[in-house]
Amino acid sequence: KDKNFLLHLIVALFVLIISVLFNITRTEWLFIIIAISAVLFMEVINTSVEYVVDLVTDEYHPLAKYAKDTASLAVLIASMMSLLIGMIIFIPYILKLF
């Protein structure tokens, strides 16, 4: 469970390095910080939901599965939003290289 958070941190570090290299604007920095934070917040909430569900029951229950699946969906939505923000910000910088 914590390996997902570590993966998100590694990707965030990469994005921060690229942001510095491209010398993005202050406004773009705000969007990058919000996007990274949103994904990390959702990952923390997802992990918390998984731990609580595991604490409450050892048996399979459809509602437990739904709780875990919807928490995971929140991470996916935040990740997709962050990817879109990243594309909007970085594609013009990448195109300037060519």
Side-chain angles (χ1 to χ4, degrees):
K1 294 176 185 177
D2 294 331
K3 65 183 174 187
N4 291 332
F5 190 81
L6 179 60
L7 176 64
H8 288 296
L9 280 178
I10 291 168
V11 171
L13 181 61
F14 174 75
V15 169
L16 292 173
I17 291 169
I18 297 299
S19 298
V20 169
L21 292 175
F22 281 132
N23 195 28
I24 64 175
T25 68
R26 281 179 86 146
T27 304
E28 291 168 335
W29 269 111
L30 291 173
F31 281 102
I32 292 297
I33 291 167
I34 290 168
I36 289 171
S37 298
V39 173
L40 295 179
F41 289 152
M42 289 299 106
E43 189 60 55
V44 168
I45 291 169
N46 178 49
T47 301
S48 298
V49 168
E50 289 181 357
Y51 283 138
V52 168
V53 168
D54 291 345
L55 179 67
V56 171
T57 182
D58 289 331
E59 298 175 16
Y60 174 81
H61 193 285
L63 292 178
K65 180 183 181 326
Y66 294 148
K68 288 183 173 188
D69 288 349
T70 54
S72 295
L73 179 60
V75 177
L76 178 62
I77 292 168
S79 298
M80 298 299 283
M81 176 199 68
S82 296
L83 176 63
L84 185 59
I85 289 170
M87 289 172 61
I88 290 168
I89 291 173
F90 293 118
I91 286 176
Y93 287 100
I94 293 169
L95 292 176
K96 285 181 185 177
L97 296 175
F98 298 103

